[in-house]
Amino acid sequence: MKLLTLNFLTCAIKSCKTSPASFPLHPRDAELEIVEADVNLAFLQNILPRLMWAELRTIASELGLPTLPEDIPEREALVEGRGEGEGEGEGGEQIPSQTAKDLHRVLLETCIQEGKLVCGNCGHEYAVKEGVANFLLPGHLV
Amino acid sequence: MLPTPSTSHVCFDRVYEPAEDSFLLLDTLSSPSESAFLHQRFGQNACVSDIAPLVLEVGVGSGVVLGFVAANARKIFGREDVLTLGTDINRFACQAASRTVETAIKDSASRTTFSDVINGDLASSLKPNAIDVFIFNPPYVPAELPDFTHHDSYNILPTGETRTTFDQDSYLLELSYAGGEDGMVVTNRMMEQMPELLSPARGVAYLLLCAQNKPEEVKQRVRNWGPGWCAETVGSSGNKAGWERLQIVRFWRITAQDTTQH
Protein backbone atom coordinates (compact mmCIF):
# COMPACT_ATOMS: atom_id res chain seq x y z
CA MET A 1 0.00 0.00 0.00
CA LYS A 2 1.11 3.50 -0.84
CA LEU A 3 2.05 5.98 1.87
CA LEU A 4 -0.42 8.45 0.36
CA THR A 5 -3.23 6.09 1.36
CA LEU A 6 -2.27 6.51 5.03
CA ASN A 7 -3.25 10.18 4.68
CA PHE A 8 -6.88 9.05 4.45
CA LEU A 9 -6.97 6.21 6.96
CA THR A 10 -7.68 6.06 10.66
CA CYS A 11 -8.35 3.42 13.28
CA ALA A 12 -11.49 1.43 12.42
CA ILE A 13 -12.61 1.28 16.05
CA LYS A 14 -15.48 3.70 16.51
CA SER A 15 -14.43 5.04 19.90
CA CYS A 16 -10.99 5.97 18.51
CA LYS A 17 -12.32 8.27 15.79
CA THR A 18 -12.71 11.25 18.09
CA SER A 19 -9.20 10.87 19.49
CA PRO A 20 -6.47 12.81 17.62
CA ALA A 21 -4.04 9.99 18.50
CA SER A 22 -5.85 7.62 16.11
CA PHE A 23 -4.29 9.48 13.17
CA PRO A 24 -1.92 8.78 11.60
CA LEU A 25 -1.61 5.05 11.95
CA HIS A 26 2.00 4.18 12.71
CA PRO A 27 3.80 1.67 10.49
CA ARG A 28 5.69 -0.99 12.42
CA ASP A 29 8.01 -3.78 11.19
CA ALA A 30 7.37 -2.49 7.69
CA GLU A 31 8.98 -3.99 4.61
CA LEU A 32 9.02 -1.30 1.94
CA GLU A 33 9.12 -1.67 -1.78
CA ILE A 34 9.64 1.03 -4.38
CA VAL A 35 7.17 0.71 -7.24
CA GLU A 36 8.08 3.23 -9.90
CA ALA A 37 5.36 5.33 -11.47
CA ASP A 38 5.16 8.38 -13.73
CA VAL A 39 5.22 11.74 -11.97
CA ASN A 40 1.92 13.56 -12.31
CA LEU A 41 2.65 17.19 -11.53
CA ALA A 42 -0.92 18.47 -11.70
CA PHE A 43 -1.99 15.79 -9.25
CA LEU A 44 0.88 16.47 -6.85
CA GLN A 45 0.05 20.17 -6.81
CA ASN A 46 -3.63 19.54 -6.17
CA ILE A 47 -3.09 16.89 -3.50
CA LEU A 48 -0.92 19.27 -1.44
CA PRO A 49 -3.89 21.00 0.23
CA ARG A 50 -5.15 17.59 1.39
CA LEU A 51 -1.91 16.33 2.92
CA MET A 52 -1.56 16.20 6.70
CA TRP A 53 2.05 17.28 6.50
CA ALA A 54 3.20 16.96 10.11
CA GLU A 55 1.73 13.45 10.28
CA LEU A 56 3.30 12.51 6.96
CA ARG A 57 6.68 13.65 8.29
CA THR A 58 6.16 11.46 11.34
CA ILE A 59 5.39 8.42 9.18
CA ALA A 60 8.40 9.06 6.95
CA SER A 61 10.72 9.33 9.95
CA GLU A 62 9.24 6.21 11.57
CA LEU A 63 9.98 4.35 8.35
CA GLY A 64 13.54 5.67 8.29
CA LEU A 65 12.98 7.59 5.06
CA PRO A 66 14.86 10.83 4.30
CA THR A 67 13.49 13.65 6.46
CA LEU A 68 10.78 15.67 4.77
CA PRO A 69 11.07 19.47 4.87
CA GLU A 70 9.54 21.04 7.96
CA ASP A 71 7.02 23.03 5.98
CA ILE A 72 4.80 21.69 3.26
CA PRO A 73 6.11 22.76 -0.17
CA GLU A 74 4.30 25.51 -2.05
CA ARG A 75 2.60 24.56 -5.32
CA GLU A 76 5.17 26.63 -7.22
CA ALA A 77 8.06 24.74 -5.63
CA LEU A 78 6.95 21.59 -7.47
CA VAL A 79 7.68 23.15 -10.87
CA GLU A 80 11.17 23.51 -12.27
CA GLY A 81 11.93 27.15 -13.20
CA ARG A 82 9.43 28.02 -15.89
CA GLY A 83 10.60 28.56 -19.43
CA GLU A 84 11.04 32.22 -20.34
CA GLY A 85 9.22 34.26 -22.93
CA GLU A 86 6.54 31.64 -23.41
CA GLY A 87 3.90 34.21 -22.58
CA GLU A 88 0.75 33.14 -20.85
CA GLY A 89 -1.39 30.19 -21.79
CA GLU A 90 -0.79 26.48 -21.72
CA GLY A 91 2.69 26.45 -23.24
CA GLY A 92 4.59 23.16 -22.99
CA GLU A 93 4.51 20.51 -20.28
CA GLN A 94 5.77 21.84 -16.97
CA ILE A 95 8.81 20.11 -15.59
CA PRO A 96 8.65 18.60 -12.09
CA SER A 97 11.26 19.96 -9.67
CA GLN A 98 13.38 17.80 -7.40
CA THR A 99 10.93 18.64 -4.60
CA ALA A 100 8.10 17.21 -6.72
CA LYS A 101 10.09 14.08 -7.51
CA ASP A 102 10.90 13.55 -3.82
CA LEU A 103 7.28 14.00 -2.85
CA HIS A 104 6.18 11.63 -5.59
CA ARG A 105 8.68 9.05 -4.34
CA VAL A 106 7.34 9.20 -0.79
CA LEU A 107 3.63 9.38 -1.53
CA LEU A 108 3.18 7.18 -4.54
CA GLU A 109 6.23 4.99 -5.08
CA THR A 110 7.04 3.93 -1.52
CA CYS A 111 4.77 0.99 -0.69
CA ILE A 112 4.36 -1.04 2.48
CA GLN A 113 4.38 -4.66 1.37
CA GLU A 114 4.38 -6.36 4.76
CA GLY A 115 4.06 -5.07 8.30
CA LYS A 116 1.59 -3.53 10.69
CA LEU A 117 -0.24 -0.25 11.12
CA VAL A 118 -0.71 0.65 14.75
CA CYS A 119 -3.32 2.97 16.25
CA GLY A 120 -1.71 5.54 18.53
CA ASN A 121 -4.82 5.63 20.70
CA CYS A 122 -5.84 2.02 21.37
CA GLY A 123 -2.73 0.21 20.16
CA HIS A 124 -4.67 -2.05 17.80
CA GLU A 125 -2.45 -3.49 15.08
CA TYR A 126 -3.70 -3.82 11.51
CA ALA A 127 -1.73 -6.25 9.37
CA VAL A 128 -0.45 -5.45 5.90
CA LYS A 129 0.16 -8.56 3.80
CA GLU A 130 1.24 -8.64 0.18
CA GLY A 131 0.51 -4.93 0.05
CA VAL A 132 -3.09 -5.23 1.26
CA ALA A 133 -3.99 -3.65 4.61
CA ASN A 134 -6.54 -5.54 6.66
CA PHE A 135 -8.87 -3.32 8.70
CA LEU A 136 -11.37 -6.00 9.62
CA LEU A 137 -11.96 -6.12 13.36
CA PRO A 138 -12.69 -9.13 15.51
CA GLY A 139 -16.40 -9.19 16.45
CA HIS A 140 -15.92 -7.88 19.99
CA LEU A 141 -14.25 -4.66 18.80
CA VAL A 142 -16.80 -3.56 16.20
CA MET B 1 -20.04 4.44 -25.07
CA LEU B 2 -16.89 4.51 -22.96
CA PRO B 3 -14.95 1.23 -22.80
CA THR B 4 -15.56 -1.18 -19.90
CA PRO B 5 -12.36 -2.07 -17.99
CA SER B 6 -10.98 -5.54 -18.52
CA THR B 7 -11.61 -8.00 -15.69
CA SER B 8 -10.26 -11.06 -17.52
CA HIS B 9 -7.72 -11.70 -14.73
CA VAL B 10 -10.42 -11.97 -12.03
CA CYS B 11 -11.53 -15.34 -10.69
CA PHE B 12 -15.32 -15.09 -10.54
CA ASP B 13 -15.61 -18.18 -8.32
CA ARG B 14 -14.96 -15.92 -5.35
CA VAL B 15 -15.24 -12.34 -6.60
CA TYR B 16 -18.54 -10.83 -7.83
CA GLU B 17 -18.68 -10.82 -11.61
CA PRO B 18 -19.75 -7.54 -13.24
CA ALA B 19 -23.47 -7.78 -13.95
CA GLU B 20 -26.49 -5.61 -14.72
CA ASP B 21 -26.02 -3.62 -11.48
CA SER B 22 -22.36 -2.84 -12.23
CA PHE B 23 -23.19 -1.78 -15.78
CA LEU B 24 -26.03 0.43 -14.56
CA LEU B 25 -23.47 2.27 -12.40
CA LEU B 26 -21.13 2.70 -15.40
CA ASP B 27 -23.94 3.95 -17.63
CA THR B 28 -25.27 6.31 -14.99
CA LEU B 29 -21.92 7.84 -14.04
CA SER B 30 -21.10 8.49 -17.69
CA SER B 31 -24.59 9.64 -18.72
CA PRO B 32 -24.82 13.19 -20.10
CA SER B 33 -26.90 14.35 -17.13
CA GLU B 34 -24.53 12.98 -14.46
CA SER B 35 -21.45 14.21 -16.30
CA ALA B 36 -23.04 17.65 -16.40
CA PHE B 37 -23.75 17.52 -12.67
CA LEU B 38 -20.25 16.30 -11.83
CA HIS B 39 -18.54 18.77 -14.16
CA GLN B 40 -20.39 21.57 -12.44
CA ARG B 41 -19.44 20.25 -9.01
CA PHE B 42 -15.83 19.35 -9.80
CA GLY B 43 -14.87 21.01 -13.08
CA GLN B 44 -12.70 24.04 -13.78
CA ASN B 45 -15.21 26.57 -12.52
CA ALA B 46 -16.22 24.70 -9.38
CA CYS B 47 -15.21 26.03 -5.99
CA VAL B 48 -11.96 24.53 -4.64
CA SER B 49 -11.21 23.30 -8.14
CA ASP B 50 -7.48 23.13 -7.34
CA ILE B 51 -7.93 20.40 -4.73
CA ALA B 52 -7.74 16.84 -6.04
CA PRO B 53 -11.05 14.98 -5.57
CA LEU B 54 -11.03 11.63 -3.74
CA VAL B 55 -13.32 8.92 -5.12
CA LEU B 56 -14.13 6.03 -2.79
CA GLU B 57 -15.89 2.88 -3.87
CA VAL B 58 -17.01 0.59 -1.07
CA GLY B 59 -17.29 -3.09 -2.01
CA VAL B 60 -15.28 -2.83 -5.23
CA GLY B 61 -15.58 -6.52 -6.15
CA SER B 62 -13.81 -6.97 -9.49
CA GLY B 63 -13.00 -3.25 -9.58
CA VAL B 64 -14.88 -2.68 -12.82
CA VAL B 65 -16.67 0.45 -11.56
CA LEU B 66 -13.69 2.10 -9.88
CA GLY B 67 -11.52 1.24 -12.88
CA PHE B 68 -14.09 2.82 -15.18
CA VAL B 69 -14.11 6.02 -13.14
CA ALA B 70 -10.30 6.12 -13.00
CA ALA B 71 -10.00 5.57 -16.75
CA ASN B 72 -12.70 8.04 -17.77
CA ALA B 73 -12.32 10.81 -15.18
CA ARG B 74 -11.71 13.42 -17.85
CA LYS B 75 -15.12 12.72 -19.40
CA ILE B 76 -16.96 12.16 -16.10
CA PHE B 77 -15.54 14.99 -13.98
CA GLY B 78 -13.76 17.21 -16.48
CA ARG B 79 -10.42 16.70 -14.73
CA GLU B 80 -7.73 14.05 -14.23
CA ASP B 81 -6.20 14.96 -10.86
CA VAL B 82 -8.59 12.42 -9.35
CA LEU B 83 -7.53 9.94 -6.67
CA THR B 84 -9.33 6.59 -6.51
CA LEU B 85 -9.57 4.42 -3.41
CA GLY B 86 -11.52 1.23 -2.76
CA THR B 87 -12.51 -1.11 0.05
CA ASP B 88 -13.81 -4.66 0.11
CA ILE B 89 -14.46 -7.17 2.86
CA ASN B 90 -13.11 -9.90 0.55
CA ARG B 91 -9.32 -9.86 0.36
CA PHE B 92 -9.30 -11.65 -2.99
CA ALA B 93 -11.48 -8.87 -4.38
CA CYS B 94 -9.01 -6.26 -3.06
CA GLN B 95 -6.18 -7.82 -5.01
CA ALA B 96 -8.25 -8.36 -8.14
CA ALA B 97 -9.67 -4.84 -8.11
CA SER B 98 -6.26 -3.20 -7.67
CA ARG B 99 -5.12 -4.88 -10.83
CA THR B 100 -8.31 -3.91 -12.67
CA VAL B 101 -7.92 -0.24 -11.77
CA GLU B 102 -4.20 -0.12 -12.56
CA THR B 103 -4.79 -1.82 -15.92
CA ALA B 104 -7.74 0.42 -16.75
CA ILE B 105 -5.63 3.53 -16.11
CA LYS B 106 -2.77 2.22 -18.21
CA ASP B 107 -4.97 1.02 -21.10
CA SER B 108 -6.82 4.32 -21.32
CA ALA B 109 -3.68 6.46 -20.90
CA SER B 110 -5.62 8.24 -18.15
CA ARG B 111 -3.65 10.57 -15.87
CA THR B 112 -5.61 9.77 -12.71
CA THR B 113 -3.98 8.36 -9.60
CA PHE B 114 -4.90 5.10 -7.90
CA SER B 115 -4.42 4.89 -4.16
CA ASP B 116 -5.19 1.35 -2.91
CA VAL B 117 -7.94 -1.12 -2.18
CA ILE B 118 -8.25 -1.67 1.57
CA ASN B 119 -9.54 -4.91 3.05
CA GLY B 120 -12.12 -3.69 5.53
CA ASP B 121 -15.70 -3.36 6.69
CA LEU B 122 -17.43 -0.70 4.56
CA ALA B 123 -15.68 2.66 5.13
CA SER B 124 -14.89 2.13 8.80
CA SER B 125 -11.16 2.88 8.38
CA LEU B 126 -11.61 6.09 6.36
CA LYS B 127 -11.06 9.53 7.81
CA PRO B 128 -14.21 11.60 8.30
CA ASN B 129 -15.15 14.34 5.78
CA ALA B 130 -12.58 13.11 3.26
CA ILE B 131 -14.67 11.61 0.49
CA ASP B 132 -15.76 13.71 -2.47
CA VAL B 133 -17.39 10.99 -4.56
CA PHE B 134 -18.77 7.88 -2.91
CA ILE B 135 -19.94 4.83 -4.87
CA PHE B 136 -21.61 1.73 -3.41
CA ASN B 137 -23.12 -1.28 -5.13
CA PRO B 138 -24.15 -3.02 -1.92
CA PRO B 139 -25.24 -6.57 -1.21
CA TYR B 140 -28.89 -5.66 -1.87
CA VAL B 141 -30.63 -9.03 -2.31
CA PRO B 142 -33.11 -9.83 0.46
CA ALA B 143 -31.39 -13.04 1.64
CA GLU B 144 -30.01 -14.15 4.96
CA LEU B 145 -26.59 -12.68 5.75
CA PRO B 146 -23.75 -15.20 5.67
CA ASP B 147 -22.30 -16.51 8.93
CA PHE B 148 -19.23 -14.36 9.62
CA THR B 149 -17.66 -16.77 12.14
CA HIS B 150 -15.15 -18.13 9.65
CA HIS B 151 -14.36 -14.88 7.89
CA ASP B 152 -10.70 -14.73 8.87
CA SER B 153 -9.94 -18.23 7.60
CA TYR B 154 -12.13 -17.86 4.49
CA ASN B 155 -10.51 -14.53 3.64
CA ILE B 156 -7.10 -16.09 2.85
CA LEU B 157 -5.85 -19.16 1.04
CA PRO B 158 -6.04 -22.24 3.29
CA THR B 159 -2.63 -22.94 4.88
CA GLY B 160 -0.33 -24.72 2.48
CA GLU B 161 -2.90 -24.65 -0.34
CA THR B 162 -2.81 -22.79 -3.62
CA ARG B 163 -6.57 -22.69 -4.14
CA THR B 164 -9.69 -21.84 -2.18
CA THR B 165 -12.31 -24.39 -1.10
CA PHE B 166 -15.84 -24.57 -2.46
CA ASP B 167 -17.34 -23.52 0.90
CA GLN B 168 -14.97 -20.60 1.04
CA ASP B 169 -15.91 -19.43 -2.46
CA SER B 170 -19.64 -19.75 -1.71
CA TYR B 171 -19.19 -17.67 1.44
CA LEU B 172 -17.21 -14.95 -0.34
CA LEU B 173 -19.81 -14.67 -3.10
CA GLU B 174 -22.64 -14.56 -0.56
CA LEU B 175 -20.95 -11.54 1.02
CA SER B 176 -21.25 -9.75 -2.31
CA TYR B 177 -25.02 -10.11 -2.71
CA ALA B 178 -26.85 -11.16 0.50
CA GLY B 179 -28.30 -8.09 2.17
CA GLY B 180 -30.44 -9.48 5.04
CA GLU B 181 -33.94 -8.16 5.70
CA ASP B 182 -35.24 -6.10 2.73
CA GLY B 183 -31.68 -6.41 1.40
CA MET B 184 -30.92 -3.34 3.50
CA VAL B 185 -28.93 -4.52 6.52
CA VAL B 186 -25.51 -3.73 5.07
CA THR B 187 -26.73 -0.58 3.27
CA ASN B 188 -28.25 0.74 6.50
CA ARG B 189 -24.95 0.35 8.31
CA MET B 190 -23.21 2.17 5.48
CA MET B 191 -25.74 4.99 5.47
CA GLU B 192 -25.11 5.61 9.15
CA GLN B 193 -21.47 6.40 8.33
CA MET B 194 -22.27 8.44 5.23
CA PRO B 195 -23.04 11.96 6.50
CA GLU B 196 -19.74 12.20 8.36
CA LEU B 197 -17.77 10.46 5.63
CA LEU B 198 -18.62 12.84 2.79
CA SER B 199 -16.76 16.08 2.28
CA PRO B 200 -19.01 18.90 3.52
CA ALA B 201 -18.20 21.19 0.58
CA ARG B 202 -18.67 18.89 -2.40
CA GLY B 203 -19.40 15.31 -1.28
CA VAL B 204 -21.74 13.30 -3.49
CA ALA B 205 -22.78 9.66 -3.15
CA TYR B 206 -24.08 7.12 -5.64
CA LEU B 207 -25.94 4.16 -4.17
CA LEU B 208 -27.46 1.28 -6.09
CA LEU B 209 -30.78 -0.05 -4.83
CA CYS B 210 -33.31 -2.64 -5.99
CA ALA B 211 -37.07 -2.21 -5.71
CA GLN B 212 -37.27 -4.37 -2.57
CA ASN B 213 -34.88 -2.03 -0.77
CA LYS B 214 -37.73 0.54 -0.76
CA PRO B 215 -35.76 3.28 -2.48
CA GLU B 216 -38.36 5.99 -1.80
CA GLU B 217 -37.91 5.45 1.94
CA VAL B 218 -34.13 5.56 1.58
CA LYS B 219 -34.31 8.88 -0.25
CA GLN B 220 -36.64 10.34 2.34
CA ARG B 221 -34.24 9.30 5.08
CA VAL B 222 -31.39 11.17 3.38
CA ARG B 223 -33.52 14.30 3.04
CA ASN B 224 -34.11 14.10 6.79
CA TRP B 225 -30.37 14.20 7.52
CA GLY B 226 -30.61 17.96 7.71
CA PRO B 227 -30.87 21.17 5.71
CA GLY B 228 -29.51 21.00 2.18
CA TRP B 229 -29.47 17.21 1.84
CA CYS B 230 -30.91 16.00 -1.45
CA ALA B 231 -31.58 12.53 -2.84
CA GLU B 232 -32.74 11.71 -6.37
CA THR B 233 -32.94 8.67 -8.62
CA VAL B 234 -30.51 9.34 -11.48
CA GLY B 235 -30.49 6.00 -13.31
CA SER B 236 -32.61 2.86 -13.53
CA SER B 237 -32.84 -0.45 -15.34
CA GLY B 238 -34.77 -3.69 -15.39
CA ASN B 239 -38.32 -4.78 -15.73
CA LYS B 240 -40.73 -2.46 -13.95
CA ALA B 241 -42.74 -5.40 -12.60
CA GLY B 242 -39.75 -7.43 -11.51
CA TRP B 243 -38.53 -7.25 -7.93
CA GLU B 244 -34.97 -6.74 -9.01
CA ARG B 245 -35.64 -3.49 -10.80
CA LEU B 246 -32.52 -1.47 -10.11
CA GLN B 247 -31.91 2.20 -9.63
CA ILE B 248 -29.05 4.51 -8.76
CA VAL B 249 -29.77 7.11 -6.12
CA ARG B 250 -27.59 10.19 -5.85
CA PHE B 251 -27.21 11.93 -2.44
CA TRP B 252 -25.62 15.31 -2.12
CA ARG B 253 -25.80 18.45 -0.09
CA ILE B 254 -26.56 21.90 -1.43
CA THR B 255 -24.35 24.29 0.48
CA ALA B 256 -25.01 27.96 1.11
CA GLN B 257 -22.25 28.68 -1.42
CA ASP B 258 -24.12 26.84 -4.20
CA THR B 259 -27.24 28.88 -3.68
CA THR B 260 -25.52 32.25 -3.54
CA GLN B 261 -23.25 31.65 -6.55
CA HIS B 262 -25.79 32.25 -9.29
Side-chain angles (χ1 to χ4, degrees):
Chain A
M1 73 179 306
K2 300 170 183 78
L3 296 192
L4 175 59
T5 305
L6 286 176
N7 191 65
F8 302 104
L9 295 179
T10 176
C11 184
I13 297 171
K14 236 184 197 164
S15 55
C16 280
K17 302 252 176 204
T18 48
S19 159
S22 65
F23 179 84
L25 297 166
H26 301 277
R28 192 173 292 167
D29 306 330
E31 286 174 30
L32 299 180
E33 192 177 288
I34 299 294
V35 181
E36 301 219 339
D38 293 337
V39 177
N40 182 342
L41 193 52
F43 173 76
L44 284 176
Q45 288 186 313
N46 288 353
I47 201 71
L48 281 176
R50 305 195 66 147
L51 295 180
M52 305 296 283
W53 190 254
E55 289 82 354
L56 186 63
R57 288 187 83 224
T58 307
I59 293 170
S61 97
E62 287 170 352
L63 288 169
L65 299 172
T67 309
L68 292 174
E70 195 159 336
D71 295 318
I72 188 163
E74 302 277 331
R75 293 175 74 84
E76 294 72 28
L78 299 189
V79 187
E80 193 70 59
R82 281 164 191 275
E84 289 154 32
E86 296 295 318
E88 61 222 51
E90 302 296 294
E93 275 274 294
Q94 292 185 316
I95 299 164
S97 66
Q98 190 58 44
T99 308
K101 289 178 194 162
D102 292 346
L103 190 63
H104 172 75
R105 170 63 51 126
V106 173
L107 293 177
L108 293 158
E109 292 187 326
T110 309
C111 301
I112 302 179
Q113 283 302 109
E114 302 286 331
K116 294 168 196 152
L117 300 169
V118 185
C119 172
N121 190 50
C122 70
H124 192 81
E125 295 180 344
Y126 299 95
V128 182
K129 286 190 182 125
E130 294 172 337
V132 180
N134 181 345
F135 280 90
L136 293 163
L137 294 169
H140 65 277
L141 285 176
V142 176
Chain B
M1 272 261 290
L2 302 174
T4 303
S6 166
T7 50
S8 58
H9 59 278
V10 184
C11 175
F12 297 122
D13 291 339
R14 50 181 179 263
V15 174
Y16 186 74
E17 182 170 3
E20 185 188 346
D21 44 11
S22 329
F23 298 126
L24 177 60
L25 267 169
L26 304 193
D27 290 344
T28 303
L29 290 166
S30 59
S31 69
S33 51
E34 279 321 286
S35 292
F37 172 85
L38 291 167
H39 273 69
Q40 201 198 354
R41 207 161 173 94
F42 294 99
Q44 295 295 324
N45 301 321
C47 66
V48 290
S49 66
D50 57 354
I51 301 180
L54 175 57
V55 178
L56 171 72
E57 187 187 6
V58 165
V60 286
S62 67
V64 71
V65 176
L66 195 61
F68 181 83
V69 171
N72 299 299
R74 166 77 52 201
K75 295 212 174 71
I76 297 172
F77 302 107
R79 60 197 292 166
E80 286 198 299
D81 60 339
V82 172
L83 183 63
T84 45
L85 175 64
T87 74
D88 205 289
I89 191 168
N90 171 350
R91 181 184 162 84
F92 299 98
C94 296
Q95 291 169 313
S98 291
R99 187 158 158 204
T100 304
V101 178
E102 282 164 358
T103 309
I105 291 175
K106 201 176 292 173
D107 289 353
S108 63
S110 162
R111 299 277 288 153
T112 61
T113 305
F114 169 58
S115 173
D116 277 292
V117 179
I118 301 298
N119 188 197
D121 175 40
L122 303 174
S124 58
S125 58
L126 271 294
K127 270 181 66 184
N129 301 325
I131 307 304
D132 296 301
V133 181
F134 171 92
I135 303 168
F136 190 28
N137 180 1
Y140 58 79
V141 177
E144 201 180 329
L145 291 179
D147 171 9
F148 296 98
T149 338
H150 303 293
H151 187 83
D152 286 352
S153 57
Y154 281 170
N155 200 28
I156 50 171
L157 285 175
T159 318
E161 300 291 330
T162 53
R163 49 175 60 198
T164 49
T165 64
F166 179 77
D167 285 351
Q168 187 172 7
D169 288 348
S170 312
Y171 167 78
L172 293 169
L173 283 186
E174 258 182 277
L175 286 175
S176 72
Y177 68 80
E181 193 183 348
D182 291 337
M184 280 300 287
V185 174
V186 181
T187 304
N188 283 339
R189 283 205 301 122
M190 186 62 244
M191 285 186 59
E192 281 170 26
Q193 301 175 11
M194 208 103 88
E196 68 167 18
L197 185 68
L198 293 177
S199 124
R202 55 181 185 176
V204 52
Y206 291 90
L207 173 67
L208 184 138
L209 295 170
C210 77
Q212 289 217 338
N213 299 154
K214 303 176 184 159
E216 289 309 313
E217 286 181 19
V218 174
K219 287 190 274 185
Q220 198 47 51
R221 211 191 311 164
V222 173
R223 294 177 190 130
N224 293 341
W225 279 348
W229 278 104
C230 307
E232 293 301 336
T233 299
V234 293
S236 61
S237 77
N239 176 357
K240 282 193 187 200
W243 66 266
E244 215 197 7
R245 188 178 181 226
L246 304 175
Q247 58 174 275
I248 309 289
V249 175
R250 184 221 290 154
F251 310 160
W252 75 106
R253 193 161 21 177
I254 296 177
T255 60
Q257 228 168 357
D258 294 332
T259 44
T260 53
Q261 238 169 16
H262 298 287

